[in-house]
Amino acid sequence: MTRRPVLPGASELFRRTDAPSVPEVTELPSLSTTTSSPALRGSSAARRSEESAEQQPPLTLVPGGAADQVPSFRPLPQQPTMQPVVPTRGRPARRPDRTKHDEKITVYISADELLALETARLALRGQHGVAADRGRIVREAIAVVLADLGERGEESVLVRRLRGE
């Protein structure tokens, strides 16, 4: 006896994708062919129906037949489509008033500026109950400074700080 395992061949592992996997049905089976099958035959009632099936025409499905009048064959009414639930990993779901930002810039800041930004974030959360990340704080600060520049022009905080005043 060899210790070499018997592995399946490529034809057993892979199937062809260029040929249809389901053979096309070209003919509906008649009742006589299904009852003449040994697998489908089993009782004396089936044998009696086999004899009467030879006298009856084969069964075929046609549109508008009796099957269309049975409630179980009617199409189901359209139900509203449910939206998938997106997992949030324990965080609350994104609020609808938040906007998605498509553009990105990279800003280098000193360690002291980063410490001041993080201290401001913790103060907003601890003392004011406002939970905001550093990016949101920076975006709000930019919006405030740009609004001040638009309103006051030469007298704005941004112009004075950039001039070194």
Side-chain angles (χ1 to χ4, degrees), residues 90-126:
R91 297 177 299 208
R94 183 185 297 183
R95 297 187 324 243
D97 60 334
R98 299 270 314 260
T99 58
K100 185 175 187 292
H101 305 286
D102 296 327
E103 303 299 325
K104 179 182 176 180
I105 63 169
T106 302
V107 178
Y108 291 93
I109 58 175
S110 67
D112 293 336
E113 292 167 334
L114 180 61
L115 183 61
L117 180 61
E118 191 63 25
T119 304
R121 185 186 73 81
L122 294 174
L124 282 170
R125 185 175 187 176

Coordinates of all heavy atoms in Angstrom, one line a residue, residues 90-126:
G90 N -19.6 49.7 17.1 CA -19.8 50.3 18.4 C -20.0 51.8 18.4 O -20.3 52.3 19.4
R91 N -19.7 52.4 17.3 CA -19.9 53.9 17.3 C -21.3 54.2 16.8 O -21.9 53.4 16.2 CB -18.9 54.5 16.3 CG -17.4 54.3 16.6 CD -16.6 54.9 15.6 NE -16.9 54.2 14.3 CZ -16.0 54.0 13.3 NH1 -14.9 54.5 13.4 NH2 -16.4 53.3 12.3
P92 N -21.8 55.4 17.2 CA -23.1 55.7 16.7 C -23.0 55.9 15.2 O -22.0 56.3 14.6 CB -23.4 57.1 17.4 CG -22.1 57.6 17.9 CD -21.2 56.4 18.1
A93 N -24.2 55.7 14.5 CA -24.2 55.9 13.1 C -23.9 57.3 12.7 O -24.2 58.2 13.4 CB -25.6 55.4 12.5
R94 N -23.4 57.5 11.4 CA -23.1 58.8 11.0 C -24.4 59.7 10.9 O -25.4 59.2 10.3 CB -22.5 58.8 9.6 CG -22.1 60.2 9.1 CD -21.5 60.1 7.7 NE -20.3 59.3 7.7 CZ -19.6 59.2 6.6 NH1 -20.0 59.8 5.4 NH2 -18.5 58.5 6.6
R95 N -24.3 60.9 11.4 CA -25.5 61.7 11.4 C -25.7 62.2 10.0 O -24.8 62.5 9.3 CB -25.3 62.9 12.4 CG -25.2 62.4 13.8 CD -25.2 63.6 14.7 NE -24.5 64.8 14.2 CZ -23.4 65.3 14.7 NH1 -22.8 64.8 15.7 NH2 -22.8 66.4 14.1
P96 N -27.0 62.5 9.6 CA -27.3 63.0 8.3 C -26.8 64.4 8.0 O -26.6 64.8 6.9 CB -28.8 62.9 8.1 CG -29.3 62.8 9.5 CD -28.2 62.2 10.4
D97 N -26.5 65.2 9.1 CA -26.0 66.6 8.9 C -24.5 66.6 8.6 O -24.0 67.7 8.3 CB -26.4 67.4 10.1 CG -25.8 66.9 11.4 OD1 -25.5 65.7 11.5 OD2 -25.6 67.8 12.3
R98 N -23.8 65.5 8.8 CA -22.4 65.5 8.5 C -22.2 65.4 7.0 O -22.9 64.7 6.3 CB -21.7 64.3 9.1 CG -21.8 64.2 10.6 CD -20.7 64.8 11.4 NE -19.4 64.6 10.9 CZ -18.5 63.7 11.4 NH1 -18.9 62.9 12.4 NH2 -17.3 63.5 10.9
T99 N -21.2 66.1 6.5 CA -20.9 66.1 5.1 C -19.7 65.2 4.8 O -18.8 65.1 5.6 CB -20.7 67.5 4.5 OG1 -19.6 68.1 5.3 CG2 -21.9 68.4 4.7
K100 N -19.7 64.6 3.6 CA -18.5 63.8 3.2 C -17.6 64.7 2.5 O -17.9 65.5 1.7 CB -19.0 62.7 2.3 CG -17.9 61.7 1.9 CD -18.5 60.6 1.1 CE -17.5 59.5 0.8 NZ -16.4 59.9 0.0
H101 N -16.3 64.6 2.9 CA -15.3 65.4 2.3 C -14.5 64.7 1.3 O -14.0 63.6 1.5 CB -14.3 65.9 3.4 CG -15.1 66.6 4.6 ND1 -15.6 67.9 4.4 CD2 -15.4 66.2 5.8 CE1 -16.2 68.2 5.6 NE2 -16.1 67.2 6.4
D102 N -14.5 65.2 0.1 CA -13.8 64.5 -1.0 C -12.4 64.9 -1.2 O -11.6 64.2 -1.8 CB -14.6 64.8 -2.3 CG -16.0 64.3 -2.3 OD1 -16.2 63.3 -1.6 OD2 -16.9 64.9 -2.9
E103 N -12.0 66.1 -0.8 CA -10.6 66.6 -1.0 C -9.8 66.4 0.3 O -10.3 66.4 1.4 CB -10.6 68.1 -1.4 CG -11.5 68.3 -2.6 CD -10.9 67.6 -3.9 OE1 -9.7 67.5 -4.0 OE2 -11.8 67.2 -4.7
K104 N -8.5 66.3 0.1 CA -7.6 66.1 1.3 C -6.4 66.9 1.1 O -5.8 67.0 0.0 CB -7.2 64.6 1.4 CG -6.3 64.3 2.5 CD -5.9 62.8 2.5 CE -4.9 62.6 3.6 NZ -4.5 61.3 3.8
I105 N -5.9 67.5 2.2 CA -4.6 68.2 2.2 C -3.8 67.6 3.4 O -4.4 67.1 4.4 CB -4.7 69.7 2.3 CG1 -5.4 70.1 3.6 CG2 -5.5 70.3 1.1 CD1 -5.3 71.6 3.9
T106 N -2.5 67.8 3.4 CA -1.7 67.4 4.5 C -1.0 68.6 5.0 O -0.4 69.4 4.3 CB -0.6 66.4 4.0 OG1 -1.2 65.2 3.4 CG2 0.3 65.9 5.2
V107 N -1.2 68.8 6.3 CA -0.6 70.0 7.0 C 0.4 69.5 8.1 O 0.0 68.6 8.9 CB -1.7 70.8 7.6 CG1 -1.1 72.0 8.4 CG2 -2.7 71.3 6.6
Y108 N 1.6 70.0 8.1 CA 2.5 69.6 9.1 C 2.5 70.7 10.2 O 2.5 71.9 9.9 CB 3.9 69.6 8.5 CG 4.1 68.4 7.6 CD1 3.9 68.5 6.2 CD2 4.4 67.1 8.0 CE1 4.0 67.5 5.3 CE2 4.6 66.1 7.2 CZ 4.4 66.2 5.8 OH 4.5 65.2 5.0
I109 N 2.4 70.2 11.4 CA 2.3 71.1 12.6 C 3.4 70.6 13.6 O 3.8 69.5 13.6 CB 0.9 71.2 13.2 CG1 0.5 69.8 13.7 CG2 -0.1 71.7 12.2 CD1 -0.9 69.8 14.4
S110 N 3.7 71.5 14.5 CA 4.7 71.2 15.5 C 4.1 70.4 16.6 O 2.9 70.2 16.7 CB 5.3 72.5 16.1 OG 4.3 73.2 16.8
A111 N 4.9 69.8 17.5 CA 4.4 69.0 18.6 C 3.6 69.8 19.5 O 2.6 69.4 20.1 CB 5.6 68.4 19.3
D112 N 4.0 71.1 19.7 CA 3.2 72.0 20.6 C 1.8 72.3 20.0 O 0.9 72.4 20.7 CB 4.0 73.3 20.9 CG 5.3 73.1 21.7 OD1 5.3 72.1 22.4 OD2 6.2 73.9 21.6
E113 N 1.8 72.5 18.7 CA 0.5 72.8 18.1 C -0.4 71.6 18.1 O -1.6 71.7 18.3 CB 0.7 73.2 16.6 CG 1.4 74.6 16.5 CD 1.8 74.9 15.1 OE1 2.1 73.9 14.3 OE2 1.9 76.1 14.8
L114 N 0.2 70.4 17.9 CA -0.6 69.2 18.0 C -1.1 69.0 19.5 O -2.3 68.6 19.7 CB 0.2 68.0 17.6 CG -0.5 66.6 17.7 CD1 -1.7 66.6 16.7 CD2 0.5 65.5 17.3
L115 N -0.3 69.3 20.5 CA -0.7 69.2 21.8 C -1.8 70.1 22.2 O -2.8 69.8 22.8 CB 0.5 69.4 22.8 CG 0.2 69.2 24.3 CD1 -0.3 67.8 24.6 CD2 1.5 69.6 25.1
A116 N -1.7 71.4 21.6 CA -2.8 72.4 21.8 C -4.1 71.9 21.2 O -5.2 72.1 21.7 CB -2.3 73.7 21.3
L117 N -4.0 71.3 20.0 CA -5.2 70.8 19.3 C -5.9 69.7 20.1 O -7.1 69.7 20.2 CB -4.8 70.4 17.9 CG -5.9 69.8 17.0 CD1 -7.0 70.9 16.8 CD2 -5.4 69.4 15.7
E118 N -5.1 68.8 20.6 CA -5.6 67.7 21.3 C -6.2 68.1 22.7 O -7.2 67.6 23.1 CB -4.5 66.6 21.6 CG -5.0 65.3 22.1 CD -6.0 64.6 21.2 OE1 -5.9 64.7 20.0 OE2 -6.8 63.8 21.8
T119 N -5.5 69.1 23.3 CA -6.1 69.7 24.5 C -7.4 70.4 24.3 O -8.4 70.3 25.1 CB -5.1 70.7 25.1 OG1 -3.8 70.1 25.3 CG2 -5.6 71.3 26.4
A120 N -7.5 71.1 23.1 CA -8.8 71.7 22.8 C -9.9 70.7 22.5 O -11.0 70.8 22.9 CB -8.6 72.6 21.5
R121 N -9.5 69.6 21.9 CA -10.5 68.5 21.6 C -11.0 67.9 23.0 O -12.2 67.7 23.1 CB -9.8 67.4 20.8 CG -10.8 66.3 20.4 CD -10.1 65.1 19.7 NE -9.3 64.3 20.6 CZ -9.8 63.4 21.4 NH1 -11.1 63.1 21.4 NH2 -9.0 62.7 22.2
L122 N -10.1 67.7 23.9 CA -10.5 67.1 25.2 C -11.3 68.1 26.0 O -12.3 67.7 26.7 CB -9.3 66.6 26.0 CG -8.5 65.4 25.4 CD1 -7.2 65.2 26.1 CD2 -9.4 64.2 25.3
A123 N -11.0 69.4 25.9 CA -11.8 70.4 26.6 C -13.2 70.5 26.0 O -14.2 70.7 26.8 CB -11.0 71.8 26.5
L124 N -13.3 70.4 24.7 CA -14.6 70.5 24.1 C -15.5 69.3 24.6 O -16.7 69.4 24.8 CB -14.5 70.4 22.6 CG -14.1 71.7 21.9 CD1 -13.7 71.5 20.4 CD2 -15.2 72.7 22.0
R125 N -14.8 68.2 24.7 CA -15.6 67.0 25.1 C -15.9 67.0 26.6 O -17.0 66.7 27.0 CB -14.8 65.7 24.8 CG -15.5 64.4 25.1 CD -14.7 63.3 24.6 NE -15.4 62.0 24.7 CZ -15.0 60.9 24.3 NH1 -13.8 60.8 23.8 NH2 -15.7 59.8 24.5
G126 N -14.9 67.3 27.4 CA -15.1 67.3 28.9 C -15.9 68.4 29.4 O -16.8 68.2 30.3

